[in-house]
Amino acid sequence: MHEILTVKNLYKDNILKDISFSIKSGEMVAVMGPSGSGKSTLLYQVSGMERADMGEVWVDGTQICDLSEDARARLRLERMGFVFQQMNMLKNLNLIDNITLPADAARRRKNGKKEVERKGLQLMENMGIADLAYRRTHEVSGGQLQRACICRSLINDPKILFADEPTGALNRSAAKEVMEEFVRLNREGATILLVTHDSKVAAACSRILYLLDGMIEGELLLTDMTETKAREDAVSKWLAQMGW
């Protein structure tokens, strides 16, 4: 497996301090840590939403720190997908139009609107929400809306998905359903970096990075564990050791 994301000696505003790590194709990695530890700031830096003060960030072979703002925006659109706690769907559009919106921005409708819409509908079918394609955002549940957001993040075939507390606004049942979709996508080959406070969410990942005061203080590998209970117990024990 080759590296999709490589971070070297990253610094930002005294929030992040000498951060280095990498993510290989097909990994699902969680970032955990107490509030204020720099988790969301890290995600913003490695995805190019903000420019780091020092260091290198390589995404799919491209060093993004020295790119212009426009170039970083284009790279995010074409090679990255994003899922946030606040779902940021346009209320005046139905779900399928929201999902295909990034394809418009990337001008990928050159092969026709119907083809892109078919792809969006297939993504919704895979998520079990195809019957909601022409509903507005206020007509579906939070869990259904978040699954639509995942569909939107996949419409341009990204190399990596970034998720910032993707289950944070959901109840336990909806959060479980959404995480099942992330796990399925990962098993199908998707590379995912997510920020979470939820140990059960983190336990579904192959690796966890623990961030404290802007530095990576620990790392837990879960690739050798197959049973959910064993993974969750291992994460709980490890977090206690880290002072969680």
Side-chain angles (χ1 to χ4, degrees):
M1 295 186 293
H2 65 285
E3 291 182 353
I4 293 292
L5 176 67
T6 303
V7 181
K8 298 180 180 179
N9 309 118
L10 191 69
Y11 289 82
K12 179 65 178 180
D13 293 339
N14 290 321
I15 301 173
L16 301 178
K17 307 162 188 176
D18 198 22
I19 297 285
S20 296
F21 68 96
S22 63
I23 297 177
K24 293 181 179 180
S25 173
E27 279 195 289
M28 181 158 70
V29 178
V31 178
M32 300 192 76
S35 297
S37 60
K39 300 184 300 298
S40 293
T41 300
L42 177 61
L43 188 144
Y44 298 153
Q45 307 309 304
V46 302
S47 64
M49 285 191 279
E50 295 179 357
R51 189 190 297 275
D53 295 333
M54 291 177 58
E56 298 179 8
V57 177
W58 295 79
V59 177
D60 191 33
T62 299
Q63 214 287 72
I64 71 172
C65 291
D66 296 330
L67 296 178
S68 68
E69 186 173 341
D70 286 346
R72 293 199 314 275
R74 175 58 57 176
L75 186 137
R76 287 196 301 274
L77 186 62
E78 295 180 347
R79 296 196 228 173
M80 305 177 194
F82 295 89
V83 182
F84 298 100
Q85 179 176 343
Q86 302 302 322
M87 300 169 201
N88 300 323
M89 287 281 196
L90 297 180
K91 296 180 180 179
N92 61 320
L93 298 180
N94 59 34
L95 294 191
I96 187 62
D97 285 343
N98 266 291
I99 287 167
T100 58
L101 200 59
D104 285 332
R107 298 178 181 174
R108 293 191 173 182
R109 292 210 177 194
K110 59 185 178 182
N111 295 325
K113 179 177 180 178
K114 289 189 178 298
E115 182 176 332
V116 173
E117 186 169 309
R118 276 196 297 272
K119 180 177 179 180
L121 290 170
Q122 184 58 58
L123 289 169
M124 296 187 79
E125 179 71 30
N126 295 344
M127 292 283 169
I129 56 171
D131 58 320
L132 306 177
Y134 301 101
R135 300 269 187 94
R136 296 296 179 94
T137 58
H138 67 276
E139 297 176 317
V140 300
S141 71
Q144 291 166 336
L145 191 59
Q146 191 64 299
R147 278 182 275 171
C149 289
I150 297 173
C151 294
R152 180 181 58 185
S153 77
L154 296 169
I155 196 68
N156 285 337
D157 300 316
K159 296 294 184 180
I160 184 168
L161 292 180
F162 294 102
D164 191 2
E165 297 286 1
T167 63
L170 305 176
N171 61 37
R172 176 57 66 181
S173 175
K176 183 175 182 292
E177 292 174 357
V178 166
M179 276 311 300
E180 286 172 352
E181 297 300 339
F182 275 111
V183 170
R184 177 182 63 80
L185 290 171
N186 178 245
R187 286 175 178 166
E188 293 173 356
T191 306
I192 303 169
L193 174 64
L194 61 86
V195 167
T196 184
H197 278 93
D198 191 328
S199 62
K200 292 184 182 295
V201 169
C205 298
S206 53
R207 183 157 55 107
I208 307 172
L209 303 176
Y210 190 84
L211 205 63
L212 182 66
D213 296 332
M215 296 182 287
I216 295 176
E217 291 292 326
E219 179 177 351
L220 178 65
L221 296 176
L222 295 166
T223 50
D224 293 333
M225 298 183 186
T226 56
E227 294 185 4
T228 300
K229 180 68 164 55
R231 296 169 72 94
E232 291 178 353
D233 288 347
V235 172
S236 295
K237 182 178 179 180
W238 179 71
L239 289 175
Q241 292 172 347
M242 300 304 297
W244 182 265

